[in-house]
Amino acid sequence: MKEKTVLPVVVVALVGALVLTLGLWAMNASNQSVATAVEGADRSLERFEWKLVTTWPKGLPGLGTAPENFARRVNAMSGGRLTVRVYGAGEVVPPFEVFDAVSQGVAEMGHGAAYYWKGKIPASVFFTAVPFGMTAQEINGWLHYGGGLELWRELYAPFGVRPFAGGSTGVQMAGWFNRELKSAADLNGLKMRIPGLAGEVFAASGGTAVRLAGGEIYTSMQTGVIDAVEWVGPLNDRTLGLMEVAEYYYYPGWHEPGAMLEFTVNQQAFDRLPPDLQSIVEEAARATNGDMLDEFTARNNQSLTSLIDDYGTKLRPLPDDVVDVLYSNAVTALDALRQSDPMAAKIGSSYEEFLIGVRNYHEISERAYLNVRDRVLPPVSFTDSQ
Ligand code: CA
């Protein structure tokens, strides 16, 4: 009888303890979730509006599509908490003042090419293109898994600027010429729009290098201010109408074998973002970086075919002796750069070491595969008459 009365008491006590425990746990959990929500709510209520200034003419396909795509990705991923508005060259600042604008906080972000800042930061050329250097695939490997991006951030840190890879064009074209190049002697006296270290190489090879932004190229060719121009490749060159102002189109882009573009972010503006928005900026940049190479890979050949068939562009390979002269002067220019600037020496060593290793592996992978593919597929042919 006694046992029968004890059991319900024990059950009631156990249930009571359980309810109390669950209640305390629930209160605790509730307090935690409220605390988390309050903390999250504080930051999730913040809204950020950024300006992104570019070196490209407004709406330019290819290069100019990247910042637009980046802004669209950030706006969508952040649910509107971070909105990025894109401005073309000259809308907020002139094209070659993009870096300074980001450094000084006139704009929170920029999109352009690191080698445009060579006068201020000589080692910046490594992060766009080195003549006879790495391809797009290789430079992406170096930046993201070979220490390159850390060096880039170290290089820009004194300016309060944080760089991200901003898309690659792949191997560019050597450029448009208003006369045929039959030998290296034909470089003498040529005035060419060609930036970066390659500009120095071209000058040492007998020509004159001119730095012009994309929006200035067509008129400069048309009016004879320059005789030759390198811009990008078929997709972007056709958009600028370069086939209307020059007849000969040379390949390959010895000077820009995998031109890397850049997103630049004002470091203080980046630091003000909550961590999730910082991640969104980082991931949107990474996605846009890969996307650009996809677009150029997909569309360059179509544009090249149109240039040849619809406009009569004459496609030509660079003569071997032109390549030899350019290479010889490229070695000299690169050595001089590495000897004259401590950061260029440090970055140049990392770049060289990575190139040696990746070239070694690509010899028996990328190149070996293309060789065996060429053995079995029909030969490549172009429709222009040489
Ligand atoms: Ca170029």
Side-chain angles (χ1 to χ4, degrees), residues 165-177:
S168 176
T169 61
V171 180
Q172 297 203 354
M173 291 290 286
W176 297 86
F177 293 76

Side-chain angles (χ1 to χ4, degrees), residues 63 115-116 128-129 169 172-173 193-195 229-233 237 255-256 259 261:
L63 304 179
Y115 67 6
Y116 289 150
T128 308
T169 61
Q172 297 203 354
M173 291 290 286
R193 183 271 177 189
I194 178 166
V229 54
E230 77 76 46
W231 175 231
V232 181
D237 293 1
H255 62 305
E256 297 190 11
L261 304 174

Side-chain angles (χ1 to χ4, degrees), residues 281-304:
V281 168
E282 187 144 13
E283 296 305 325
R286 191 71 192 269
T288 305
N289 179 52
D291 186 66
M292 185 189 288
L293 189 59
D294 297 348
E295 184 183 11
F296 278 104
T297 302
R299 297 190 168 155
N300 264 333
N301 187 57
Q302 190 183 11
S303 296
L304 179 65

Side-chain angles (χ1 to χ4, degrees), residues 23 73 93 129 153 189 194 199 218 264 285 293 303 317 328-329 332 354 359 363:
R73 287 189 173 99
V93 291
R153 294 201 167 145
I194 178 166
Y218 182 94
T264 45
L293 189 59
S303 296
S328 169
N329 288 318
T332 306
F354 193 88
R359 185 168 171 244
E363 182 66 19

Side-chain angles (χ1 to χ4, degrees), residues 190-206:
L190 269 187
K191 280 182 286 179
M192 181 170 187
R193 183 271 177 189
I194 178 166
L197 199 60
E200 290 178 30
V201 174
F202 186 74
S205 305

Side-chain angles (χ1 to χ4, degrees), residues 40-249:
D42 279 342
R43 302 242 63 188
S44 72
L45 288 173
E46 292 178 50
R47 292 285 182 273
F48 300 86
E49 291 183 10
W50 279 12
K51 290 190 190 75
L52 192 166
V53 293
T54 78
T55 59
W56 326 119
K58 178 77 177 168
L60 180 76
L63 304 179
T65 306
E68 299 282 356
N69 283 342
F70 171 84
R72 183 179 48 74
R73 287 189 173 99
V74 167
N75 296 348
M77 286 196 276
S78 71
R81 289 164 58 212
L82 172 58
T83 52
V84 178
R85 185 158 176 208
V86 178
Y87 295 87
E91 286 193 300
V92 176
V93 291
F96 292 135
E97 289 177 23
V98 163
F99 186 88
D100 288 345
V102 175
S103 176
Q104 292 158 11
V106 173
E108 288 81 4
M109 280 193 72
H111 190 255
Y115 67 6
Y116 289 150
W117 330 125
K118 170 174 160 285
K120 181 196 291 279
I121 312 171
S124 64
V125 297
F126 287 104
F127 300 105
T128 308
V130 172
F132 302 98
M134 290 197 248
T135 65
Q137 189 178 346
E138 292 165 349
I139 198 168
N140 267 307
W142 176 57
L143 287 177
H144 298 117
Y145 289 93
L149 187 59
E150 287 78 7
L151 288 167
W152 200 355
R153 294 201 167 145
E154 184 182 338
L155 183 68
Y156 281 7
F159 303 92
V161 174
R162 184 180 186 85
F164 296 87
S168 176
T169 61
V171 180
Q172 297 203 354
M173 291 290 286
W176 297 86
F177 293 76
N178 63 9
R179 66 189 90 142
E180 207 161 0
L181 292 180
K182 296 208 165 123
S183 74
D186 291 332
L187 296 174
N188 287 327
L190 269 187
K191 280 182 286 179
M192 181 170 187
R193 183 271 177 189
I194 178 166
L197 199 60
E200 290 178 30
V201 174
F202 186 74
S205 305
T208 302
V210 180
R211 190 179 76 149
L212 293 171
E216 305 165 311
I217 291 173
Y218 182 94
T219 309
S220 300
M221 274 300 278
Q222 195 180 34
T223 57
V225 171
I226 52 175
D227 310 303
V229 54
E230 77 76 46
W231 175 231
V232 181
L235 174 64
N236 263 178
D237 293 1
R238 186 171 171 275
T239 307
L240 280 196
L242 298 181
M243 64 285 181
E244 296 167 1
V245 290
E247 196 174 3
Y248 297 98
Y249 199 19

Side-chain angles (χ1 to χ4, degrees), residues 255-267:
H255 62 305
E256 297 190 11
M260 176 57 71
L261 304 174
E262 66 175 10
F263 285 111
T264 45
V265 182
N266 178 282
Q267 185 66 52

